[in-house]
Amino acid sequence: MSEIIRVLVAKPGLDGHDRGARVIALALKDAGMEVIYTGLHQTPEMVVEAALQEDVDVVALSSLSGAHMNHFPRVRELLDEAGASRILVVGGGIVPDKDREELSSLGIGRFFGPGTDTRDVIDYIHEEMAARRANEEEA
Amino acid sequence: MAQAMVSALIDSFRQGDRLALARLITLVENRASARDEIIDSILPLAGQAYRIGITGPPGSGKSTLLEELLLKYRKDGKSLGVIAVDPSSPFSGGALLGDRLRMRRAGADPGVFIRSLGSRGALGGLSEAADMALDLLDAFGMERVFVETVGVGQSELDVAENAYTTVVVLVPESGDQIQTMKAGLMEIGDVFVVNKTDREGAGRMMEALELSLEESPAREGWKPPVLGTCAKTAEGVLELQAAIESHREHISQYGKLGNLRKEIGLRRIHKAVSSSVTRALWSDPRRAKLLDRGLDQWLSGAVAFGELVESLLPEGLHAKSQGEGDE
């Protein structure tokens, strides 16, 4: 089945750098996905509400300000509370290795740091979505 | 997807679950096979919302203006739904759905539900999907539902046509565009807006619009007003809301709204039947063979165009046999 993958690209928190988020948004669009970009300064609540209304498959969070340990797990938690555990949360930006492990244990998908090839992000999302859809069909 | 899951979603939808609403919009967008069941079960709940279309050329500030409009309606306590359509890339099929970015204040309001759709090319049946998404918002209990599209291309115009009131948003620089759009946008607009009045030429643009509208016949006693707005400062937005509501009152009189719903429903049926027939017609291998042979014959002058077309028509639709039947 060739359903179009929908992705919400969001910048939670106060950091004002969204070049990376924009590059990712364009790359995902060129890879055939529908991308909704929420813009800067979003609270985790706003990100989750937008993700629910847009019924996205993936929430891609970007953080360059060091506040990722507050925002990323909160987004995951709110999504789960809202019954949207199926949504994949991935991260990008600057996050120390030790934090990455902890985020991963909290249900956040892979993290993409500086220098990432956008193709890696696209491949990862495709793999995850294919796996999830296979699971759903089995269930 | 399992039938049971669709039914469960419809049940949750009926109980006011926003997640179910979002998932059902995805289903009517993605799967033609699920559409009928979903729409048939929610349609009895629909018909209460008033549908407003917002269209105009790219960059005319539709989303920013729509947000101001949403905030005004929220002050009146109305619950609101928005379907924002952005073009999909014909190359990748992907889309950057950017309208939500310009409606962040309204988007944070729990009384507003915003959904972005990619146009997905004409084959995806944009106007059907958008129309059904509006049905869902309507049946969910939203009092005003808006659909925003870029006013270029037939499928986008179709979407706007399915609204009860269509607002056409232009900018002071749209002067030349009016000429080219005369056959499209000018006919579907019930309210015209020149946005970005802080720019030069807004007054001239409004005059040109009024002149152009005077040339066209008034539609059922309604003369489309021309308004100036500046979405940046919210100037003129109250007047825009008043114009929309006054058009709503106009068409609500004498049962015109009921007629409009019928017209929209009729168009939907026409489209569904036509596309079914077209699909069946061209997927018939015998016809494909006939066409293949006939094309060469026609190009070499061995057969007349009318004859070729006649030979490809389905049973019972031949002009000759119909003529005979009439006699």
Side-chain angles (χ1 to χ4, degrees):
Chain A
M1 198 163 2
S2 60
E3 276 176 15
I4 293 179
I5 298 169
R6 287 169 66 87
V7 185
L8 187 83
V9 174
K11 289 266 341 168
L14 292 174
D15 114 56
H17 305 275
D18 69 345
R19 169 81 58 98
R22 284 167 186 266
V23 169
I24 286 295
L26 273 177
L28 298 183
K29 175 207 135 188
D30 290 339
M33 302 179 199
E34 287 181 349
V35 182
I36 298 114
Y37 177 52
T38 62
L40 296 166
H41 310 317
Q42 301 286 294
T43 64
E45 285 78 9
M46 288 158 89
V47 172
V48 168
E49 183 57 30
L52 297 180
Q53 291 181 12
E54 298 291 354
D55 193 24
V56 293
D57 305 292
V58 182
V59 172
L61 299 172
S62 156
S63 172
L64 295 155
S65 68
H68 49 269
M69 291 313 283
N70 292 328
H71 300 314
F72 290 14
R74 183 75 184 132
V75 167
R76 177 75 273 171
E77 196 178 282
L78 289 169
L79 283 172
D80 292 344
E81 274 171 26
S85 312
R86 57 175 279 279
I87 297 179
L88 170 70
V89 178
V90 295
I94 296 170
V95 165
D97 288 344
K98 65 170 175 54
D99 288 356
R100 292 186 190 194
E101 277 166 34
E102 195 178 336
L103 287 174
S104 166
S105 74
L106 291 170
I108 312 289
R110 201 187 288 174
F111 200 90
F112 296 93
T116 295
D117 187 329
T118 53
R119 276 173 300 190
D120 293 342
V121 184
I122 293 160
D123 289 345
Y124 172 68
I125 290 177
H126 276 146
E127 280 162 26
E128 284 288 317
M129 288 303 109
R132 268 159 215 239
R133 273 176 189 159
N135 272 341
E136 267 175 35
E137 263 154 44
E138 258 174 49
Chain B
M1 186 169 309
Q3 195 82 11
M5 190 168 165
V6 176
S7 308
L9 278 175
I10 293 171
D11 283 343
S12 309
F13 171 90
R14 285 214 183 94
Q15 283 154 25
D17 178 357
R18 287 158 76 87
L19 191 57
L21 166 62
R23 300 240 66 200
L24 287 174
I25 294 176
T26 306
L27 284 180
V28 297
E29 199 191 2
N30 281 350
R31 306 193 192 201
S33 59
R35 284 181 178 176
D36 291 353
E37 189 200 345
I38 294 169
I39 295 305
D40 288 345
S41 36
I42 62 100
L43 210 56
L45 303 168
Q48 303 304 313
Y50 193 76
R51 302 181 181 212
I52 300 150
I54 311 272
T55 190
S60 57
K62 295 177 290 296
S63 304
T64 312
L65 188 61
L66 176 54
E67 168 161 70
E68 292 300 333
L69 204 52
L70 295 171
L71 296 173
K72 287 275 186 291
Y73 272 106
R74 282 302 293 153
K75 276 198 184 142
D76 298 343
K78 297 267 187 270
S79 56
L80 309 171
V82 176
I83 300 296
V85 184
D86 263 330
S88 300
S89 158
F91 303 108
S92 71
L96 210 48
L97 307 174
D99 295 327
R100 188 173 201 102
L101 180 60
R102 294 178 186 83
M103 294 189 266
R104 286 152 73 188
R105 279 174 300 155
D109 186 325
V112 183
F113 188 101
I114 302 173
R115 179 57 176 263
S116 315
L117 298 184
S119 63
R120 297 189 181 181
L123 290 174
L126 168 65
S127 65
E128 287 86 346
D131 208 29
M132 290 174 189
L134 288 175
D135 283 342
L136 281 162
L137 292 174
D138 179 345
F140 198 73
M142 310 302 188
E143 290 161 285
R144 297 284 182 278
V145 294
F146 298 83
V147 57
E148 184 196 327
T149 64
V150 176
V152 286
Q154 192 53 49
S155 59
E156 278 84 357
L157 287 179
D158 287 349
V159 173
E161 212 180 359
N162 283 344
Y164 304 149
T165 297
T166 302
V167 180
V168 173
V169 183
L170 301 163
V171 285
E173 297 82 6
S174 300
D176 293 336
Q177 284 171 318
I178 291 193
Q179 296 303 324
T180 52
M181 288 185 310
K182 263 186 180 158
L185 283 184
M186 294 307 284
E187 271 88 355
I188 61 163
D190 301 302
V191 175
F192 286 85
V193 170
V194 175
N195 194 25
K196 308 190 183 179
T197 47
D198 52 329
R199 288 199 197 159
E200 207 190 301
R204 253 177 296 140
M205 179 64 198
M206 288 173 71
E207 279 167 29
L209 264 175
E210 267 160 14
L211 206 68
S212 165
L213 284 167
E214 253 159 49
E215 289 167 7
S216 50
R219 285 157 302 175
E220 302 192 331
W222 176 259
K223 192 178 166 293
V226 177
L227 308 168
T229 58
C230 183
K232 252 192 338 201
T233 60
E235 187 191 304
V237 175
L238 208 57
E239 288 79 1
L240 172 57
Q241 185 193 19
I244 292 169
E245 289 302 310
S246 124
H247 185 247
R248 183 180 69 81
E249 276 156 34
H250 173 79
I251 66 166
S252 300
Q253 283 171 353
Y254 318 115
K256 274 184 201 158
L257 187 54
N259 291 344
L260 211 49
R261 276 201 82 200
K262 272 192 180 172
E263 261 177 49
I264 293 166
L266 206 60
R267 273 202 292 272
R268 200 142 112 188
I269 295 169
H270 272 214
K271 258 191 205 148
V273 173
S274 303
S275 56
S276 292
V277 170
T278 307
R279 215 177 308 123
L281 197 66
W282 297 119
S283 60
D284 179 355
R286 281 170 308 167
R287 183 166 282 102
K289 222 177 275 171
L290 269 175
L291 175 64
D292 206 33
R293 194 164 356 113
L295 175 64
D296 288 335
Q297 287 175 331
W298 170 55
L299 288 174
S300 64
V303 68
F305 185 74
E307 233 173 281
L308 171 62
V309 171
E310 184 78 11
S311 72
L312 291 168
L313 289 178
E315 289 292 309
L317 285 183
H318 298 275
K320 275 172 200 155
S321 65
Q322 265 188 343
E324 276 160 16
D326 284 344
E327 279 168 4

